[in-house]
Amino acid sequence: MDILTTYGYTLIIVAAVFGFIMAYGVGANDVANAMGTSVGSKALTVKQAIFIAAIFEFAGAYLAGGSVTSTIRSGIVDPIHFAAAPELLVFGMIGALLAAGTWLLVASYYGWPVSTTHSIVGAIIGFAAVGVGVDAVEWGKVGGIVGSWVVTPVLAGILAYLIFMSAQRLIFDTDNPLANAKKYVPFYMAFAALMMALVTVTKGLTHVGLDLSTEQNLMIAGSIAIVVGIVGKIAISRVHIDPMADKEMHFTNVEKIFGILMITTACCMAFAHGSNDVANAIGPLAAVVSVIQSGGEVAGRAELDWWILPLGAVGIVIGLATLGAKVIKTIGTAITHLTPSRGFAAEMSAATTVVIASGTGLPISTTQTLVGAVLGVGLARGIAALNLGVVRNIFISWVVTLPVGAGLSILFFFIIKAIFSA
């Protein structure tokens, strides 16, 4: 306890610096979840994607990041284990932020899309198991996270395959693609609006106190979907093209319609991501500030000081602006060739999987979900359409994320403990 009293202010500054590094890594790596497919399909340029993502990620993180956050991400460790030695939680959370942030920077530099949630969870597992004991870790939840490595990409891949194949059969493989696009695309638009509204409501607006019931969420999302479908029907009916034009011209115009849809879905995903994943950076930071300011009291949730949320939001934006392009290109162009219709299928599948996971409590990585969706779209054209070397590197980076985060966290935990306990 004397350590917290003596070095409290210094520890908060160190935690803030490492929290910013973690937020920087979140922005550099995870922004591809929202923008990768838009860039890969050429609906947006890299610069346009980064600009749009900066606005919506910041809005999601700052406006809907919440005033209270869980101090232990995903409930992976029970804070009560640190009640007798709160300084260990402070050292551990600082070490976890630096560990997860370091791994995200390395992964982003090489263009590997990894899970920011799993990075911080692995780091927390590492210091908790060593600093307190293996009993402090909820190993059942760790098993759920490992299981999600398989379940969520497979589910997203299957959904993406089905969405893409439906568009292929209903629109692209017909004699009059544009006429069928006018007929069926409004339904895709309504479905997109439904899923994006649910993602935004369930993963975004709950953070600002609008904790609505499932029925209310469905009612709001359903109303938005109906309106979007009707507006889309009217707008698309006004698209005219020479009936004598060749099929290639029809395809081009249909892809333009899907391109507009993709930009809209990307904005919603960026907002939802900012509101949800900023907690990966500010949760541990909030834990440090809460324990020190309360004189050593360890709580499961913490009120955020006024400066913590903006710190996370700014870190995310700077990270995506300076280092985000590499991961965007990996998801958008390196795995498989994307067109707007294929990218839309992947984005829609990812959003649908997120909604299903939120409703069932399935632990999920948005990164792994989107990569699975892109793989599903690629497989629809045969395994030769995939860059298997890139896919292999991505899978390896997923598997090593938890142990690397844990190992670095243990190392940094002992270094920080030695510095402040001397």
Side-chain angles (χ1 to χ4, degrees):
M1 195 70 72
D2 291 338
I3 293 173
L4 299 183
T5 304
T6 306
Y7 298 110
Y9 187 67
T10 303
L11 287 166
I12 288 176
I13 292 175
V14 173
V17 172
F18 293 166
F20 182 84
I21 292 172
M22 176 61 184
Y24 182 97
V26 171
N29 205 279
D30 262 13
V31 68
N33 298 343
M35 294 295 163
T37 51
S38 298
V39 172
S41 64
K42 295 184 170 56
L44 291 170
T45 65
V46 172
K47 288 183 179 179
Q48 288 170 335
I50 289 174
F51 179 74
I52 292 173
I55 294 171
F56 284 92
E57 289 272 348
F58 184 86
Y62 187 63
L63 300 177
S67 59
V68 177
T69 188
S70 298
T71 55
I72 309 286
R73 194 72 171 128
S74 301
I76 209 75
V77 176
D78 188 345
I80 197 69
H81 289 284
F82 294 93
E87 68 276 5
L88 294 182
L89 179 64
V90 171
F91 298 153
M93 285 300 185
I94 293 174
L97 283 170
L98 181 57
T102 300
W103 171 239
L104 288 177
L105 292 180
V106 171
S108 299
Y109 178 80
Y110 286 104
W112 301 330
V114 298
S115 169
T116 57
T117 302
H118 293 177
S119 299
I120 193 66
V121 166
I124 291 173
I125 290 171
F127 87 77
V130 172
V132 177
V134 292
D135 292 340
V137 179
E138 299 284 349
W139 293 107
K141 292 191 176 182
V142 177
I145 290 172
V146 173
S148 74
W149 293 347
V150 177
V151 175
T152 52
V154 169
L155 176 59
I158 292 171
L159 287 173
Y161 178 89
L162 294 174
I163 293 170
F164 174 68
M165 290 307 294
S166 71
Q168 198 72 20
R169 298 279 168 80
L170 295 174
I171 298 172
F172 291 98
D173 289 345
T174 62
D175 293 331
N176 195 333
L178 190 61
N180 283 300
K182 291 181 178 182
K183 182 178 179 181
Y184 292 112
V185 166
F187 291 100
Y188 287 109
M189 295 177 75
F191 180 56
L194 177 67
M195 289 301 119
M196 289 301 155
L198 285 172
V199 167
T200 304
V201 170
T202 57
K203 291 180 77 71
L205 300 185
T206 53
H207 294 294
V208 291
L210 293 177
D211 198 1
L212 306 176
S213 66
T214 303
E215 293 76 15
Q216 289 173 316
N217 288 338
L218 288 172
M219 192 178 299
I220 292 171
S223 301
I224 292 172
I226 291 171
V227 172
V228 169
I230 293 172
V231 171
K233 177 75 173 175
I234 295 170
I236 294 174
S237 66
R238 295 179 178 177
V239 175
H240 296 293
I241 186 172
D242 181 1
M244 300 304 292
D246 61 14
K247 223 173 185 183
E248 193 64 37
M249 182 61 72
H250 282 229
F251 285 153
T252 301
N253 281 274
V254 173
E255 290 289 2
K256 285 180 180 177
I257 294 170
F258 277 106
I260 295 170
L261 268 178
M262 281 207 66
I263 296 170
T264 306
T265 56
C267 292
C268 292
M269 286 292 280
F271 180 87
H273 172 263
S275 68
N276 190 68
D277 278 22
V278 69
N280 288 329
I282 67 171
L285 174 56
V288 172
V289 175
S290 173
V291 170
I292 291 172
Q293 290 184 346
S294 66
E297 182 184 345
V298 178
R301 296 181 69 80
E303 289 281 343
L304 296 179
D305 270 22
W306 65 270
W307 55 270
I308 294 179
L309 205 52
L311 180 83
V314 170
I316 286 176
V317 170
I318 295 177
L320 73 89
T322 56
L323 198 57
K326 291 190 175 183
V327 183
I328 286 177
K329 288 179 179 176
T330 297
I331 286 183
T333 61
I335 297 174
T336 190
H337 175 66
L338 292 176
T339 62
S341 58
R342 294 169 194 160
F344 171 74
E347 196 81 57
M348 274 307 308
S349 164
T352 305
T353 305
V354 168
V355 170
I356 294 171
S358 296
T360 59
L362 183 73
I364 192 172
S365 160
T366 50
T367 301
Q368 292 172 356
T369 302
L370 188 67
V371 170
V374 173
L375 288 174
V377 169
L379 283 171
R381 297 184 297 125
I383 197 161
L386 298 176
N387 186 331
L388 295 180
V390 172
V391 175
R392 180 198 64 224
N393 290 340
I394 290 172
F395 280 142
I396 291 172
S397 71
W398 289 358
V399 173
V400 302
T401 290
L402 268 180
V404 167
L408 288 173
S409 178
I410 291 168
L411 174 65
F412 294 145
F413 170 74
F414 282 118
I415 290 173
I416 293 166
K417 182 180 178 183
I419 291 172
F420 288 97
S421 300

